[in-house]
């Protein structure tokens, strides 16, 4: 492999990894607070891309307005999902909460089939994202740097929110100890809603960018990215936002590089990602950035 | 008098934190010995190392002449050490009798296949487990609750049930982790009488952790005091009460009334 | 007295069920038979998930992958050499498998055993993990298995799947396997081993301190559970006669989890009822998704509608009943009589529904 094609693959890997990371953050925030593997999160990615698609093709919005519309509606869905399906179950056995997530996931996917139709739709990129760029001898499509740039801005913004706002501090406190934090006068419901709001916004952005990169959307398109992002969240240390970013980037880069270096193994790409996950779990169950918490006896 | 348990120069570190520092002691058969110390002094950690929940960082645990350090908890229980927990850990999905006879499971000789097929050897063992479990409950005055859910029992009885469950494993050594925690002084006193009763009627050795010195003064002939993971005193109640280091460690906690 | 009455009732009930199965097998049309077969297969899936999670407390999400192993093994062992040659036109099947054909019972047992062995190999490292981490690892394994099935063309025929698997599965096979499965699991959970695994579920630390070997008991539950998952996979392959890796997506596991929670964790009766209702319900709503006519009006089908309704129902059940349909209670004759008595005393106020036997 030449150095140029290495760089090209690296850029590709980073852009895929950024998408994983954007989606993984929602998983990790919700898990950190509620200890819930919210498998419906992947379906918000799908919704984000569909809402953007309809914003352009049905309401004839300019692309930027369609994107904002899509993010807002997806965030609304995320918040409603928490309020209707998860909040009443918080005191229930955890398996009920998990099953609720499964039910919501089935519901969103099949509602999408009912409403949007089961056939894939072609997502048209805004023209400026369809250009070929040449930097030195490397060629890539203009969406690659845009995906990376947008994700980077969002990462920085999110870290600022989490570390420097009241809501962010409350979120971190909730993930340490939900009961005590509630007793200290923090409105738990509001903060959890805020976490779902943030996570859903990022999932929507992830969905739109995903559709820009892979411009065919279908009702089940969120399943695999969702699962991979979840793997990324665990790799980084579930519950840890910084970890989700690192895990996402790492997973994206490793997947692309595997295919680039060993084209004959490309069919095993998914198996490879899951193998990394399992190996990591066995040797460091709390992930790259997770804290090891000894069990109290 | 033969030595039953020997803790040899035990050290346990968690990362940079030393929970137990070069702790040694011996227990002889049939004695009732208390381990006391302020909160966070490393008492439970010592129990956790003896029962195999943690591996010692340094040092050894010798039980009946055999080095058991590093063995799994279930292996150690099988060799004859049973324990209770500071925070009650009963099995909520099993009734009182079942909670007790889970402790008999480790002596079960029948394999799963004969249990599934109800082969005679299994059925015989099962009925023996049940009857000896009932006998145990009777001897501790818990038999009328046999079919109840453990969480429906009052707190004091839950403590007793945990002890009964540990006794079901037929231990030579019983470790009790703060059995009187959360009890009123009169309930604690009653529990201590109960513990004395167990010592007398079950032919075993008891090592118990207590937070308050007063509770154990009456019944424990020998007391070990630790602070910050180190043994600071050992002796009979009178010696302990007059020990300067103990007074220093405990000042404000000891109730001299 | 009561014991004797219950035994007699059980024998009568079993005979009635056997006669009904016989009549159903003889006279029902293939479509209804297929639904009844699927009821039994999904019941096995759900009952086995209940053993591993409801009783042992191990959150394993490997069911789809394990079912795939059983299904592929049963299919490869029962396919005739000629059919195999037809199937594997892209890449020939590896030699020892190409020329063999075995009876169904042998295929099911081998499928179950190999599934149990493979799943225990997977569980061996993974069972060290607790709670959600075990769920993630087993889900990962399940997807690895599926990915291997897509890629190991000379063994599985890849994404094309296997076609023309002989339809050996009938009501006796499927309900017979379910009966054996329930018998074994029920006896197991009621035994000393069952108490031990329930103790592991309730509190691992305390169970270990009472001398329960965690690893051994988790492995046992895992092995028994996945043996029957493998058998159910085989039954499914020889029922639907065409399998490919997509059949065993992790969403299959999710369905099983949903069905089991709906039936009640810790109730095998609940699992069977819930799995059967789920299967029948999905079939009953099938017309919604295909074109139908009312009088002269032709209504186009709405694909996806069935699962929309199912997921809303699932959500309702868990939102409004914490413990599912059956909680952790099992069917028993005594329970049935008590229920009758209660209903009777509610209707006619005169009769007091005391405890008669």
């Amino acid at each position: 492999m030449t150095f140029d094609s290495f760089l090209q693959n690296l850029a590709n890997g980073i852009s895929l990894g950024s998408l994983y990371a954007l989606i993984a953050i929602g998983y990790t925030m919700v898990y950190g607070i509620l200890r819930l593997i919210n498998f419906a999160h992947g379906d918000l990615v799908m919704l984000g891309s569909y809402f953007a698609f309809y914003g352009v093709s049905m309401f004839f919005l300019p692309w930027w307005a369609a994107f904002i519309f899509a993010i807002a509606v997806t965030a609304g869905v995320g918040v409603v999902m928490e309020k209707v399906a998860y909040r009443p179950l918080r005191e229930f056995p955890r398996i009920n909460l998990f099953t609720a997530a499964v039910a919501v996931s089935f519901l969103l996917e099949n509602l999408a089939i009912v409403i949007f139709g089961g056939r894939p739709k072609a997502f048209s990129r805004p023209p400026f994202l369809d250009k070929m760029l040449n930097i030195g001898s490397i060629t890539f499509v203009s969406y690659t740097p845009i995906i990376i740039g947008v994700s980077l801005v969002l990462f920085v913004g999110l870290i600022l929110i989490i570390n420097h706002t009241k809501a962010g501090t409350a979120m971190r406190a909730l993930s340490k100890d939900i009961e005590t934090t509630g007793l200290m006068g923090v409105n738990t419901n509001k903060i959890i809603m805020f976490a779902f709001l943030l996570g859903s916004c990022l999932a929507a952005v992830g969905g739109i960018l995903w559709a820009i990169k892979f411009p065919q959307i279908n009702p089940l398109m969120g399943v695999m990215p969702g699962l991979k992002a979840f793997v990324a969240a665990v790799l980084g240390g579930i519950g840890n936002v910084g970890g989700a970013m690192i895990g996402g980037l790492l997973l994206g880069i490793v997947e692309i590089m595997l295919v680039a270096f060993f084209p004959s193994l490309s069919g095993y790409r998914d198996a490879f990602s899951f193998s990394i996950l399992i190996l990591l779990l066995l040797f460091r169950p709390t992930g790259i950035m997770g804290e090891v918490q000894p069990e109290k006896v | 008098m033969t030595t039953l348990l020997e803790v040899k120069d035990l050290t346990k570190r968690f990362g940079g934190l030393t929970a137990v520092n070069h702790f040694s002691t011996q227990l002889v058969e049939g004695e009732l010995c208390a381990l006391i110390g302020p909160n966070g002094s490393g008492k439970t950690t010592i129990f956790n190392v003896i029962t195999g929940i943690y591996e010692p960082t340094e040092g050894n645990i010798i039980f009946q002449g055999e080095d058991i350090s590093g063995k799994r908890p279930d292996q150690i229980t099988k060799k004859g050490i049973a324990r209770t927990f500071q925070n009650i850990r009963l099995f909520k999905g099993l009734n009182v009798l079942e909670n007790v006879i889970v402790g008999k499971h480790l002596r079960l000789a029948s394999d799963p296949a004969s249990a599934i097929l109800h082969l005679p050897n299994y059925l015989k063992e099962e009925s023996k487990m049940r009857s000896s479990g009932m006998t145990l409950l009777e001897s501790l005055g818990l038999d009328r609750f046999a079919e109840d859910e453990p969480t429906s029992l009052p707190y004091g009885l839950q403590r007793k049930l945990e002890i009964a469950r540990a006794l079901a494993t037929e231990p030579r050594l019983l470790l009790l982790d703060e059995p009187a925690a959360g009890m009123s002084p009169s309930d604690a006193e009653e529990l201590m009488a109960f513990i004395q009763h167990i010592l007398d009627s079950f032919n075993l050795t008891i090592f118990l952790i207590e937070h308050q010195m007063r509770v154990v003064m009456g019944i424990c002939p020998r007391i070990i005091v630790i602070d910050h993971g180190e043994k600071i005193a050992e002796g009979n109640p009178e010696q302990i009460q007059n020990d300067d280091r103990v007074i220093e460690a405990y000042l404000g906690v000891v109730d001299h009334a | 007295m009561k014991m004797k009455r219950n035994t007699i009732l059980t024998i009568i009930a079993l005979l009635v069920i056997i006669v009904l199965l016989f009549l159903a097998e003889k006279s029902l049309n293939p479509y209804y038979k297929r639904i009844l077969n699927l009821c039994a297969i999904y019941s096995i899936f759900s009952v086995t998930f209940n053993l591993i999670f409801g009783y042992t407390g191990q959150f394993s999400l490997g069911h789809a992958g394990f079912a795939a192993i059983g299904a592929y093994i049963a299919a490869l062992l029962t396919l005739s050499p000629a059919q195999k040659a037809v199937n594997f036109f892209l890449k020939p099947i590896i030699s020892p498998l190409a020329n063999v054909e075995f009876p169904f019972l042998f295929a099911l047992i081998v499928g179950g055993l190999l599934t149990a062995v493979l799943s225990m190999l997977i569980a061996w490292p993974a069972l060290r993990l607790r709670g959600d981490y075990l769920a993630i690892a087993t889900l990962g394994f399940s997807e690895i298995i599926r990915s291997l099935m897509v890629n190991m063309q000379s063994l599985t025929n890849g994404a094309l799947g296997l076609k023309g698997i002989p339809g050996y599965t009938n009501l006796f096979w499927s309900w017979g396997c379910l009966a054996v499965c329930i018998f074994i699991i029920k006896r197991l959970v009621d035994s000393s081993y069952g108490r031990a695994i329930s103790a592991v579920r309730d509190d691992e630390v305390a169970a270990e301190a009472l001398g329960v070997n965690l690893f051994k008991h988790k492995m046992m539950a895992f092995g028994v559970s996945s043996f029957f998952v493998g058998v159910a996979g085989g039954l499914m392959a020889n029922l639907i006669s065409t399998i490919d890796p997509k059949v065993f997506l992790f969403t299959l596991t999710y369905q099983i989890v949903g069905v089991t929670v709906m039936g009640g964790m810790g109730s095998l009766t609940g699992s069977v009822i819930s799995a059967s209702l789920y299967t029948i319900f999905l079939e009953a709503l099938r017309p919604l998704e295909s074109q139908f006519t009312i009088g002269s009006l032709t209504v186009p089908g709405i694909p996806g509608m069935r699962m929309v309704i199912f997921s809303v129902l699932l959500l309702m059940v868990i939102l409004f009943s914490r413990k599912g349909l059956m909680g952790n209670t099992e069917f028993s004759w005594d329970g049935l009589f008590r229920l009758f008595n209660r209903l009777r005393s509610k209707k006619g106020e005169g009769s007091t529904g005391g405890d008669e036997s």
Side-chain angles (χ1 to χ4, degrees), chain C residues 18 32 111 134 146 212 218 262 273 284 306 341 348:
Chain C
I18 290 171
Y32 288 123
L134 177 66
R146 207 174 60 82
V212 177
K218 289 181 189 175
M262 207 155 70
I273 293 175
R306 296 187 295 163
N341 281 335

Side-chain angles (χ1 to χ4, degrees), chain C residues 51-209:
Chain C
L51 171 64
I52 202 70
F53 185 73
Y55 288 95
T56 320
Q58 303 306 302
F59 195 8
S60 159
L61 293 179
H63 257 57
F66 299 151
I69 297 174
Y72 270 88
I73 290 171
L76 288 171
L77 292 181
T78 54
L79 270 170
S80 68
Q83 267 295 340
K84 278 177 197 158
V86 175
N87 267 306
F88 288 79
F89 62 88
L90 276 180
K91 211 171 181 185
I93 183 169
I94 47 169
S95 64
L97 271 175
N99 302 315
V100 292
E101 184 183 352
F102 292 99
F104 192 34
L105 180 65
F106 177 83
L108 284 181
I109 293 177
V110 171
L113 285 177
L114 279 178
T115 308
V117 169
L118 282 174
S119 79
M120 281 160 88
L121 278 179
I122 287 169
W124 189 32
L127 279 179
R128 283 195 312 172
L129 301 168
R130 286 184 187 181
D132 294 340
Y133 289 109
L134 177 66
I136 298 160
T138 44
L139 181 69
F141 274 120
S142 177
E143 280 298 295
I144 290 175
I145 291 169
R146 207 174 60 82
S147 168
L148 291 179
M149 281 170 176
V150 175
N151 288 287
M152 290 163 64
Q153 277 209 344
S154 55
L155 190 61
T156 63
N157 205 25
L160 293 173
L162 299 171
K163 293 184 181 66
I165 306 163
Y168 293 139
T169 302
N170 60 23
L171 291 175
F172 295 114
W173 280 110
S174 59
W175 286 86
C177 287
L178 173 63
V180 173
C181 170
I182 290 177
F183 175 80
I184 288 181
I185 290 179
K186 179 70 182 145
R187 278 279 179 90
L188 184 70
V189 297
D190 284 346
S191 75
S192 185
Y193 288 94
R195 288 191 293 269
I197 58 174
S198 299
V200 171
R201 171 199 61 201
D202 287 348
D203 191 329
E204 288 200 356
V205 174
E208 204 176 18

Side-chain angles (χ1 to χ4, degrees), chain A residues 31 94 96 267 282 295, chain C residues 128 130 132-133 151 254 322:
Chain A
Y31 189 89
R94 293 246 324 275
N96 289 35
L282 292 178
E295 203 199 352
Chain C
R128 283 195 312 172
R130 286 184 187 181
D132 294 340
Y133 289 109
N151 288 287
Y254 286 2
R322 187 188 182 107

Side-chain angles (χ1 to χ4, degrees), chain C residues 41-60:
Chain C
I41 293 169
Y42 272 85
S43 294
I44 299 180
F45 285 147
S46 178
V47 164
T48 47
F49 181 72
N50 221 331
L51 171 64
I52 202 70
F53 185 73
Y55 288 95
T56 320
Q58 303 306 302
F59 195 8
S60 159

Side-chain angles (χ1 to χ4, degrees), chain C residues 3-14:
Chain C
M3 279 277 283
K4 218 172 177 185
R5 180 201 73 188
N6 290 349
T7 319
I8 293 170
L9 283 174
T10 307
I11 292 170
I12 293 173
L14 281 177

Side-chain angles (χ1 to χ4, degrees), chain A:
Chain A
M1 187 185 292
T2 61
F3 186 63
D4 284 350
S5 69
F6 173 79
L7 283 183
Q8 212 157 321
N9 280 313
L10 187 66
N12 204 358
I14 293 175
S15 75
L16 179 65
S18 312
L19 294 179
Y20 286 153
L22 282 177
I23 309 167
I25 290 167
Y27 270 117
T28 228
M29 282 199 301
V30 167
Y31 189 89
I33 298 173
L34 293 182
R35 301 283 176 270
L36 161 69
I37 306 176
N38 178 19
F39 274 119
H41 188 68
D43 300 309
L44 295 177
V45 173
M46 174 270 296
L47 288 184
S49 67
Y50 265 97
F51 291 142
F53 172 85
Y54 281 109
V56 172
S57 67
M58 211 168 171
F59 303 124
F60 306 107
L61 297 173
W63 61 265
W64 57 267
F67 290 179
I68 292 174
F69 162 77
I71 295 167
V73 181
T74 309
V77 174
V79 169
V80 170
M81 163 173 94
E82 188 274 327
K83 194 157 182 178
V84 174
Y86 301 156
R87 190 175 300 175
L89 294 172
R90 242 180 256 158
E91 307 296 321
F92 278 34
R94 293 246 324 275
I95 183 71
N96 289 35
L97 200 54
F98 176 82
T99 313
V102 168
V104 171
S105 169
F106 284 162
L107 182 63
L108 294 181
E109 285 161 17
N110 289 286
L111 265 183
I113 296 178
V114 169
I115 298 170
F116 308 142
R119 266 199 233 128
K121 292 190 176 356
F123 189 93
S124 53
R125 298 173 183 136
F128 73 97
L129 287 177
D130 227 355
K131 291 198 185 93
M132 287 308 221
L133 295 180
N134 291 301
I135 297 181
S137 51
I138 320 169
T139 317
F140 46 82
V141 195
S142 57
Y143 61 68
T144 303
I146 295 286
I147 288 177
I148 299 173
V150 168
S151 310
L152 208 65
V153 169
L154 290 175
F155 293 156
V156 173
L158 186 72
I159 288 173
L160 288 177
I161 289 178
I162 287 180
N163 288 323
H164 297 283
T165 65
K166 241 181 162 175
T169 314
M171 248 165 62
R172 278 183 294 142
L174 277 186
S175 62
K176 285 266 182 249
D177 185 339
I178 190 161
E179 261 172 55
T180 317
T181 313
L183 290 174
M184 313 261 287
V186 172
N187 185 336
T188 325
N189 285 339
K190 241 185 182 164
I191 300 300
I192 291 175
M193 200 194 247
F194 182 65
F196 270 88
L197 185 85
L198 280 182
S200 312
C201 286
L202 293 178
V205 176
I208 296 167
L209 295 177
W210 193 279
I212 287 172
K213 192 171 163 69
F214 309 101
Q216 245 208 1
I217 60 176
N218 72 73
L220 298 179
M221 65 175 274
V223 176
M224 259 333 206
L227 193 60
K228 291 289 183 59
F230 176 63
V231 169
V234 180
L235 282 180
I238 189 141
N240 184 311
V241 172
M245 296 173 191
I246 294 173
L249 284 172
L250 210 67
L251 188 66
I253 294 170
V254 167
E255 277 192 353
I256 296 291
M257 288 299 174
L258 176 84
V259 178
F261 278 97
F262 309 100
S264 63
L265 292 181
S266 61
Y268 289 96
R269 186 168 129 178
D270 292 349
F272 185 74
S273 311
F274 289 112
S275 308
I276 298 178
L277 169 78
I278 289 164
L279 284 176
L280 183 96
L281 281 178
L282 292 178
F283 292 107
R284 197 179 151 76
T286 47
I288 301 167
M289 301 281 285
E291 294 166 37
V292 184
Q293 284 177 339
E295 203 199 352
K296 276 195 186 131
V297 176

